[in-house]
Amino acid sequence: MKRIRIRKGDRDRGQVALEYIGFLPFLLLVALGGIQLGWAAYVTQQAETAARTAARVEARNPDEGVAAGLAAIRPSLAAGADIGRVVTRDAITMRVSITIESVVPGVGDRTVTRTAVMPNDDPR
């Protein structure tokens, strides 16, 4: 049987690869957290856009605000959006709720709600 002699620096071979493999899950979790924050900001902005658009259209054309609010946002988000309407003599309030789906394992979905109020141009 032939003996292999280990030189002084050869004991550390593969150490960097093992450290990288150990650190990789944390890097992936941080990356997913960044993606989740960006997605949450985007969905919040879409809810705000839908609420403002719905309130503006509803103030000018009664009963058309919900459709306009849904048309103003991404179709995949519009499918799960909930738009509520409150019409008074003075104002029109549109409330939009959209679920923020989680991309991070173990974190549940959240719902974002945005509200917009416009003066009622047609106070019947």
Side-chain angles (χ1 to χ4, degrees):
M1 188 166 83
K2 186 177 179 182
R3 290 191 175 208
I4 299 174
R5 189 168 180 208
I6 299 174
R7 289 181 279 165
K8 186 175 182 179
D10 287 345
R11 289 185 188 161
D12 294 337
R13 288 179 78 184
Q15 178 181 353
V16 172
L18 286 175
E19 289 175 0
Y20 181 71
I21 289 172
F23 194 65
L24 190 61
F26 296 111
L27 287 175
L28 291 173
L29 190 61
V30 169
L32 285 175
I35 291 169
Q36 183 68 45
L37 285 175
W39 180 246
Y42 177 73
V43 172
T44 302
Q45 179 268 333
Q46 289 283 286
E48 182 72 29
T49 298
R52 280 187 283 113
T53 301
R56 185 174 56 248
V57 171
E58 187 71 25
R60 303 235 175 194
N61 304 315
D63 298 326
E64 294 181 18
V66 174
L70 292 174
I73 59 176
R74 180 182 182 149
S76 62
L77 292 176
D82 180 37
I83 300 180
R85 171 179 65 193
V86 176
V87 179
T88 64
R89 182 168 172 78
D90 298 327
I92 294 175
T93 303
M94 301 299 279
R95 175 170 284 128
V96 177
S97 297
I98 302 176
T99 300
I100 303 172
E101 295 177 5
S102 177
V103 296
V104 179
V107 177
D109 296 344
R110 305 268 188 230
T111 301
V112 63
T113 301
R114 291 294 179 256
T115 304
V117 179
M118 292 284 180
N120 193 351
D121 292 342
D122 186 27
R124 284 188 231 156

